[in-house]
Amino acid sequence: MAVERVTALEVGSAIRLPRARVVPLSAPPSSYTAAVERYLTGAGIAKSSARIYRISLTTWGWMFVGEPAPTGPARRGAKPPLFPVAAIDDPVLTEVLAELAAARADEMDADTVNRELSIARKAIGWWQRQGWIACDPTIGIERRPAPPDRTKALAENQIAALWRLDVSLREKTCWKMLYESAARAEEVLCLNVEDLHPGDKRGRTLAKGGATEWIHWQSGTAQLLPRLIAGRTRGPLFLTGRKAPAGTPTLDVCPETGRARLSYRRAEEIFEENTRLLANPLASPDNVEDLDGWTLHRLRHSALTHDAEDGTSTPMLLARSRHASVRSLERYARPGVDAVARHVAERDPAARRRR
């Protein structure tokens, strides 16, 4: 952002200094959608995070024009509104946004709402520094108190049951890679075929700031990958089952098949739907539509917890999880139910006497 100097004006015996005028560093983009893409590129958002940022900012796009963002099945295929990014400076928008954000917070979990708000404010700050907008209409919206993370690792028998599910090759490979690598779902879904080093059982991913990091997998994933890749040499590793719709970013389209990259949202839906009965073993299959399944994050959590239970050192857990601090790792190091049961059994005096 540049500030244009202005000449002082003398009014009577007093000197009035007019406000400095903000001069845009570059011409504002033609639309909000274009401004989002300029932000993702110009701010250096990592490829592994860009999809989540784009989805969150698209959600805000609806609210910036005074409409509630679509949720659930209605969201798929919904076309975001077209409007100039300068519309964000509308003075009445602040009050409208506060109402829409409050209504959305009643429908979504606190972590999602807070993440979307944080991403919106980062983008707004970047647009302000470019001189494209002057105001932040989210200024009065407060973060929602998030409940403590109560996510639990899956037991080993639950992981074994997961591998027995009759699902497609794509899902088998994705779930195996998530568990064996302990990687974040967005990192795995952003992998391209050319990022893989099958002989070394690892793949290259970009972290925040553009740093190169590696995720490592085991034999289960290694055995499935050749069938999934099926001779492809480039493009997204995990694909949808149909051609990419018009307007899909080039990076998210396979140049050899024309199919689109599998989105995080769709991958999460598929996993949740397929694990409902595993998550609720006493429920009747007739009531499956009313049940909740597991989240993809449970695979990462389980992998790190099982590593900790097996005695993996803290430095190795940090390297495997790619957390920056031990504090971030603490919730994964809680022993699971199987580990606690083994611990109690091993210290049972009666069991010791039988030895």
Side-chain angles (χ1 to χ4, degrees):
M1 178 177 68
V3 177
E4 187 180 82
R5 293 185 178 182
V6 294
T7 306
L9 302 177
E10 185 172 344
V11 182
S13 59
I15 295 179
R16 179 173 60 86
L17 294 175
R19 291 183 178 179
R21 291 190 291 271
V22 175
V23 180
L25 292 177
S26 60
S30 59
S31 67
Y32 172 78
T33 303
V36 169
E37 296 304 319
R38 291 273 291 273
Y39 163 66
L40 296 177
T41 303
I45 304 301
K47 183 173 68 174
S48 59
S49 302
R51 292 177 64 82
I52 300 299
Y53 273 60
R54 187 178 290 108
I55 291 171
S56 295
L57 292 172
T58 298
T59 296
W60 277 97
W62 293 93
M63 296 194 288
F64 284 145
V65 296
E67 300 179 19
T71 58
R75 180 168 184 162
R76 191 177 305 154
K79 294 184 178 180
L82 292 175
F83 62 96
V85 68
I88 294 176
D89 280 335
D90 187 338
V92 304
L93 187 57
T94 300
E95 185 176 348
V96 174
L97 272 185
E99 294 180 1
L100 289 172
R104 183 167 177 79
D106 290 337
E107 297 180 358
M108 311 297 290
D109 64 273
D111 287 336
T112 298
V113 170
N114 290 339
R115 180 180 66 247
E116 291 176 345
L117 178 60
S118 176
I119 289 174
R121 284 177 171 163
K122 290 177 184 177
I124 287 170
W126 192 84
W127 293 330
Q128 287 176 321
R129 291 191 292 275
Q130 308 314 303
W132 299 345
I133 60 174
C135 303
D136 179 359
T138 71
I139 196 69
I141 301 174
E142 297 182 356
R143 290 175 59 87
R144 296 284 164 155
D149 185 356
R150 300 298 186 194
T151 305
K152 292 182 174 64
L154 300 174
E156 293 177 1
N157 65 324
Q158 292 176 307
I159 293 292
L162 179 65
W163 303 149
R164 292 194 295 268
L165 288 179
D166 184 14
V167 294
S168 71
L169 174 63
R170 182 188 67 186
E171 271 60 66
K172 286 182 181 178
T173 310
C174 182
W175 302 349
K176 275 279 186 182
M177 182 177 284
L178 286 170
Y179 180 70
E180 291 184 352
S181 67
R184 299 175 179 88
E186 55 266 30
E187 293 173 334
V188 166
L189 293 170
C190 281
L191 284 173
N192 289 333
V193 175
E194 60 268 31
D195 296 329
L196 307 182
H197 291 239
D200 298 326
K201 297 179 184 175
R202 65 181 183 179
R204 182 179 60 248
T205 185
L206 292 179
K208 293 180 180 179
T212 298
E213 292 187 347
W214 296 90
I215 62 174
H216 303 261
W217 53 81
Q218 297 168 331
S219 298
T221 302
Q223 292 169 0
L224 295 169
L225 276 175
R227 293 165 54 201
L228 179 72
I229 296 170
R232 292 184 287 130
T233 58
R234 56 198 177 118
L237 175 60
F238 295 101
L239 300 171
T240 59
R242 55 189 175 183
K243 297 290 184 179
T248 303
T250 304
L251 289 175
D252 292 329
V253 179
C254 174
E256 299 178 18
T257 66
R259 289 151 59 193
R261 187 187 303 275
L262 179 65
S263 69
Y264 181 95
R265 184 171 64 251
R266 183 57 184 148
E268 181 86 310
E269 288 175 354
I270 293 172
F271 188 67
E272 190 274 332
E273 290 170 2
N274 278 278
T275 57
R276 288 176 182 175
L277 289 178
L278 294 182
N280 303 273
L282 300 181
S284 167
D286 297 334
N287 301 324
V288 68
E289 296 298 328
D290 300 324
L291 303 176
D292 292 325
W294 296 327
T295 63
L296 287 172
H297 177 70
R298 297 286 290 274
L299 294 175
R300 170 175 164 84
H301 192 136
S302 302
L304 294 172
T305 298
H306 296 165
D307 276 0
E309 291 171 352
D310 292 339
T312 302
S313 67
T314 298
M316 182 57 71
L317 287 173
L318 283 172
R320 196 150 137 71
S321 66
R322 294 179 302 287
H323 279 118
S325 68
V326 175
R327 185 173 183 179
S328 301
L329 192 64
E330 285 179 353
R331 66 178 181 272
Y332 299 104
R334 297 186 191 131
V337 60
D338 289 341
V340 173
R342 286 196 300 269
H343 173 83
V344 173
E346 289 169 358
R347 285 156 181 78
D348 186 341
R352 289 180 180 178
R353 285 195 294 270
R354 287 195 296 270
R355 294 176 192 167

